[in-house]
């Protein structure tokens, strides 16, 4: 009877903690997860989600310790691999974020955000072909993901795949006509397809949107336009 009551309490506090986490009440959620872990020190969800809350309360060391403990308890706990990968990503520790995100993708390919963040890491490492492939995965699931579209365009641009990059930048501007980054990068791509008039028009739009790089581009390529 005592074990049964403890199990019921464990689930009650876990669910309440999850609700507080979702609402952004991280301190309250931690208090509930602490209660769960007093009842069951090996409750992996409570460890993982307590770590999540700690991270956003600026206890990064405690966050990583909790999530790593959850992974040690269950190496197939995909969400923990994903969350730890995001923690390392936010800390710009890309070399350790990469294997965690890759492990999450291997175990659960449906986690779109894992593909997206891994793509950003590949792009930062100038592994543009791999970045493009990851952003492909994101856009297959979320065709209206403006950020993935922009970054795939940039990855294609860096590979000199200018026609494909233009497709992405065009789509970005369909999704968000006020994207100064998309106007600027489409303009830059037009320079390399030798369509200077179109490029200068795009640089002007990017400048109007506050893109600082567009000022230099107009000066470099469009003084006589």
């Amino acid at each position: 009877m005592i074990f049964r009551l403890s199990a019921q309490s464990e689930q009650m506090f876990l669910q309440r903690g999850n609700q507080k986490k979702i609402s952004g009440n991280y301190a309250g959620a931690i208090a509930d997860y602490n209660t769960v872990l007093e009842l069951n020190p090996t409750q992996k969800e409570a460890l993982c989600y307590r770590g999540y809350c700690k991270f956003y309360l600026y206890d990064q060391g405690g966050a990583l310790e909790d999530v790593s403990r959850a992974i040690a308890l269950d190496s197939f706990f995909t969400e923990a691999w994903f969350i730890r990968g995001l923690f390392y990503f936010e800390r710009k520790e890309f070399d350790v974020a990469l294997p965690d995100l890759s492990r999450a993708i291997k175990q659960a390919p449906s986690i779109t955000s894992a593909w997206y963040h891994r793509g950003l890491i590949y792009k930062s490492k100038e592994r543009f072909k791999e970045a493009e492939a990851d952003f492909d995965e994101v856009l297959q699931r979320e065709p209206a993901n403006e950020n993935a579209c922009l970054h795939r365009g940039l990855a294609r641009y860096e590979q000199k795949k200018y026609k494909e990059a233009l497709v992405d930048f065009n789509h970005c501007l369909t999704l968000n006509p006020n994207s100064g980054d998309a106007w600027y990068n489409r303009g830059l791509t037009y320079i390399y397809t030798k369509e200077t008039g179109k490029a200068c028009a795009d640089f002007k739009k990017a400048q109007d949107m506050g893109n600082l790089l567009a000022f230099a581009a107009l000066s470099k390529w469009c003084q006589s336009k």
Side-chain angles (χ1 to χ4, degrees):
M1 178 65 72
I2 294 174
F3 173 80
R4 183 178 170 186
L5 289 172
S6 295
Q8 290 175 346
S9 299
E10 178 185 322
Q11 287 303 308
M12 180 190 74
F13 282 107
L14 181 63
Q15 290 172 10
R16 195 171 75 174
N18 290 345
Q19 290 170 354
K20 290 177 181 177
K21 174 175 68 72
I22 291 169
S23 70
N25 179 7
Y26 298 131
I30 287 173
D32 284 340
Y33 295 139
N34 285 341
T35 301
V36 173
L37 292 165
E38 288 173 5
L39 293 166
N40 180 2
T42 61
Q43 222 293 345
K44 63 183 183 181
E45 287 88 358
L47 277 167
C48 181
Y49 302 146
R50 185 177 72 175
Y52 179 95
C53 294
K54 285 180 177 180
F55 190 87
Y56 290 103
L57 290 176
Y58 307 103
D59 178 9
Q60 295 186 1
L64 287 167
E65 181 181 352
D66 276 354
V67 179
S68 296
R69 282 178 60 196
I71 289 171
L73 287 167
D74 181 1
S75 62
F76 290 97
F77 188 9
T78 303
E79 191 174 7
W81 288 104
F82 172 58
I83 288 173
R84 193 174 70 173
L86 289 184
F87 289 170
Y88 284 130
F89 178 89
E90 293 293 333
R91 287 158 59 105
K92 301 190 186 303
E93 296 180 34
F94 297 146
D95 288 336
V96 283
L98 189 57
D100 278 5
L101 293 172
S102 294
R103 178 65 176 261
I105 288 168
K106 182 178 180 180
Q107 293 183 181
S110 61
I111 303 179
T112 305
S113 185
W115 291 100
Y116 176 74
H117 284 88
R118 193 177 71 170
L120 292 178
I121 292 173
Y122 282 143
K123 183 167 158 285
S124 75
K125 290 178 171 293
E126 299 185 359
R127 293 166 62 174
F128 298 117
K129 184 175 181 180
E130 292 158 295
E132 179 186 359
D134 277 4
F135 295 131
D136 277 344
E137 291 286 345
V138 175
L139 289 162
Q140 285 176 20
R141 296 167 172 81
E142 299 178 0
N145 188 316
E146 178 190 342
N147 290 327
C149 184
L150 178 66
H151 286 294
R152 187 176 67 177
L154 292 169
R156 287 173 163 177
Y157 170 86
E158 293 292 349
Q159 296 174 80
K160 297 181 170 55
K161 298 165 70 172
Y162 299 127
K163 289 183 179 179
E164 292 92 336
L166 285 172
V167 170
D168 280 339
F169 298 138
N170 287 338
H171 185 49
C172 286
L173 290 168
T174 299
L175 294 170
N176 179 11
N178 296 318
S179 172
D181 288 342
W183 285 109
Y184 170 75
N185 284 291
R186 192 177 74 170
L188 202 59
T189 307
Y190 278 138
I191 290 294
Y192 288 96
T193 60
K194 303 186 186 306
E195 298 175 87
T196 307
K198 290 182 178 180
C200 293
D202 278 4
F203 292 146
K204 183 63 172 63
K205 287 287 291 187
Q207 183 184 53
D208 293 343
M209 299 294 172
N211 184 290
L212 297 179
L213 295 174
F215 289 79
L218 284 164
S219 176
K220 182 175 181 179
W221 283 296
C222 307
Q223 287 182 327
S224 61
K225 299 296 177 183

